[in-house]
Amino acid sequence: MDVDCVSLPDAPAGDVDGGAARPWPKAVTNGGVHELLECPVCTNSMFPPIHQCPNGHTLCSTCKARVHNRCPTCRQELGDIRCLALEKVAESLELPCRYYSLGCPEIMPYYSKIKHEAQCGLRPYNCPYAGSECGAAGDIPSLVSHLRDDHKVDMHSGCTFNHRYVKSNPREVENATWMLTVFHCFGHYFCLHFEAFQLGMAPVYMAFLRFMGDENEAKNYSYSLEVGANGRKMVWEGTPRSVRDSHRKVRDSHDGLIIQRNMALFFSGGDRKELKLRITGRIWKEQQTPDGACTPNLCS
């Protein structure tokens, strides 16, 4: 299943699955006034400062820097003329969330849109696969199919895992492959990442879990990771981060099990020239008992 990057302009668009567009409420169309606030270059809504050329053509401040001070409509020099009248009109508008076609019912003042849309629970999720520049976005079921069919990611059911990571030359961190495995338990999907990267001057290996859903729901779950051999082991326990947080953000925050190369080679045994790590772990959901205490709920 191909999942294209979802482009959602402020004007109403068709449903993600290709169905009919969900029309804007008549109460907020304001006779098409909102169309006057659409930048002719990027087609996004314009927010102050709104610029205009001597002939009255408008564009947003971001695009003004891109067009080298030339009006994209009439090619006149733009100068620094503000369209104060249009900025005033914007203050009186109430518009739907840009994700209205995806089901968001919110209608808000024009200047509240950006803040709401940055946090809207119905905004699409980005593909969690970090091994390539993938621009796919969509809801969770679509992304799960995308990961399975397009990225050939391993899919597992159950809340425990046991994975091996083998690399013939552990010193080649820059060219190290990384793994992504998707687990389905408690009716949700989780992404297990395992990869190598350079931390300062030293190569390290890191494993961490991400929840395929929003931040608030991710907090209901916990997970553990364990790696070891030769009578030694390292254990990590934490809360999975939401896929709303980018892969790089989670990695750079070091929020997971980090194994230094020397320790990883010790766990690998042998002549220390080949990396052989076994990562085991489990996912559980914290359940609150009638007396207010929390107990782990393990899936079978």
Side-chain angles (χ1 to χ4, degrees), residues 33 199 282:
V33 174
L199 184 59
R282 63 188 179 95

Side-chain angles (χ1 to χ4, degrees), residues 102-138:
L102 301 181
C104 180
E106 295 294 326
I107 298 172
M108 68 216 80
Y110 184 83
Y111 290 129
S112 300
K113 275 172 58 69
I114 289 181
K115 182 177 180 181
H116 164 80
E117 290 167 355
Q119 302 171 347
C120 179
L122 289 172
R123 67 192 190 278
Y125 294 88
N126 294 322
C127 174
Y129 191 87
S132 62
E133 293 297 327
C134 181

Side-chain angles (χ1 to χ4, degrees), residues 91-107:
E91 292 180 1
S92 66
L93 290 181
E94 289 191 344
L95 296 175
C97 171
R98 70 183 301 189
Y99 305 119
Y100 181 80
S101 63
L102 301 181
C104 180
E106 295 294 326
I107 298 172

Side-chain angles (χ1 to χ4, degrees), residues 100-176:
Y100 181 80
S101 63
L102 301 181
C104 180
E106 295 294 326
I107 298 172
M108 68 216 80
Y110 184 83
Y111 290 129
S112 300
K113 275 172 58 69
I114 289 181
K115 182 177 180 181
H116 164 80
E117 290 167 355
Q119 302 171 347
C120 179
L122 289 172
R123 67 192 190 278
Y125 294 88
N126 294 322
C127 174
Y129 191 87
S132 62
E133 293 297 327
C134 181
D139 59 16
I140 297 302
S142 297
L143 287 182
V144 169
S145 299
H146 166 68
L147 289 170
R148 182 190 62 232
D149 299 337
D150 297 335
H151 294 299
K152 310 303 180 185
V153 169
D154 288 337
M155 301 282 173
H156 296 272
S157 294
C159 299
T160 60
F161 39 88
N162 187 336
H163 283 265
R164 293 185 68 222
Y165 182 83
V166 179
K167 183 170 176 55
S168 59
N169 187 351
R171 297 182 181 278
E172 293 181 356
V173 172
E174 293 80 5
N175 299 319

Side-chain angles (χ1 to χ4, degrees), residues 8-150:
L8 294 166
D10 289 315
D15 293 338
V16 172
D17 61 4
R22 185 184 182 197
W24 275 19
K26 292 182 180 179
V28 295
T29 56
N30 291 282
V33 174
H34 67 274
E35 295 178 359
L36 297 175
L37 290 159
E38 183 180 280
C39 176
V41 179
C42 66
T43 71
N44 292 326
S45 293
M46 295 186 290
F47 291 84
I50 298 175
H51 298 274
Q52 70 175 34
C53 76
N55 291 326
H57 303 122
T58 58
L59 77 165
C60 70
S61 57
T62 300
C63 290
K64 180 179 183 292
R66 295 175 179 171
V67 297
H68 306 293
N69 206 40
R70 288 282 179 182
C71 174
T73 303
C74 67
R75 308 306 300 168
Q76 287 282 330
E77 285 193 19
L78 287 169
D80 292 310
I81 307 173
R82 289 273 294 276
C83 188
L84 300 179
L86 196 55
E87 291 179 8
K88 192 69 175 178
V89 168
E91 292 180 1
S92 66
L93 290 181
E94 289 191 344
L95 296 175
C97 171
R98 70 183 301 189
Y99 305 119
Y100 181 80
S101 63
L102 301 181
C104 180
E106 295 294 326
I107 298 172
M108 68 216 80
Y110 184 83
Y111 290 129
S112 300
K113 275 172 58 69
I114 289 181
K115 182 177 180 181
H116 164 80
E117 290 167 355
Q119 302 171 347
C120 179
L122 289 172
R123 67 192 190 278
Y125 294 88
N126 294 322
C127 174
Y129 191 87
S132 62
E133 293 297 327
C134 181
D139 59 16
I140 297 302
S142 297
L143 287 182
V144 169
S145 299
H146 166 68
L147 289 170
R148 182 190 62 232
D149 299 337
D150 297 335

Side-chain angles (χ1 to χ4, degrees), residues 228-232 265-270:
N230 300 322
R232 309 286 192 278
L265 291 174
F266 177 78
F267 289 152
S268 299

